[in-house]
Every structure is written in structure tokens, then in C-alpha cells.
Amino acid sequence: RSDKMAALHGIGWVRRGTDICYYQNHVKRRGGYYYTATFTMDFPYSEDTVYIAYCYPYTYTDLQRYLHTLEVDPRRGNRFRR
């Protein structure tokens, strides 16, 4: 997420990056090995603040909205209870 892109274009979290790779590295830990994630990113704006996440942030509010859509759906609403 780029602060400048959000301010200039109203764009929030987006999928970015190339050469994305996730692999087991050589560093041992109890029960196996650690893993490494690598990627390449371009930063189009200078003097910007950029936030990088492994996945899109998913808030409690996002969850509540999704559960509400399930709840009011006539086909899916009878499959769960809150």
C-alpha cells in the first residue's frame, strides 16, 4: 500500500511485485527448516511510505460484513449460526 497512490488516486491495497518465490532455506529449526520469501518491487513515487504485507489485511469488520452477506443469502444463510 502506497500512501501517495492512496492520496493521489484513491487506491488502497494492491497486488504488486514480480519474481515472487517462496522456498525452504538452509537454516535449520526444531522439526525442519525455515522458509524464505523473495520478490522484486518497483516504487514509482519518491519520498513515499509503502506498506508490504504477505496477504491483504483482513479486519474483524471485513469478517463481519462477509458473515452478514452469508446470513442474508437465502441459499447459504441456513448453513451457519452466529
Side-chain angles (χ1 to χ4, degrees), residues 67 70-82:
L67 291 176
L70 293 178
E71 195 172 37
V72 298
D73 184 313
R75 292 183 321 162
R76 297 184 289 178
N78 62 353
R79 301 199 181 213
F80 79 98
R81 201 174 325 170
R82 290 210 259 180

Side-chain angles (χ1 to χ4, degrees), residues 26-70:
H26 68 281
V27 180
K28 285 191 130 191
R29 66 182 175 110
R30 209 176 334 179
Y33 290 87
Y34 285 100
Y35 285 77
T36 298
T38 62
F39 54 90
T40 301
M41 285 189 65
D42 293 321
F43 300 96
Y45 302 105
S46 61
E47 303 295 322
D48 192 7
T49 299
V50 177
Y51 303 89
I52 299 171
Y54 183 75
C55 63
Y56 285 106
Y58 193 74
T59 65
Y60 180 75
T61 303
D62 294 332
L63 173 62
Q64 293 302 309
R65 284 185 186 131
Y66 176 66
L67 291 176
H68 179 73
T69 62
L70 293 178

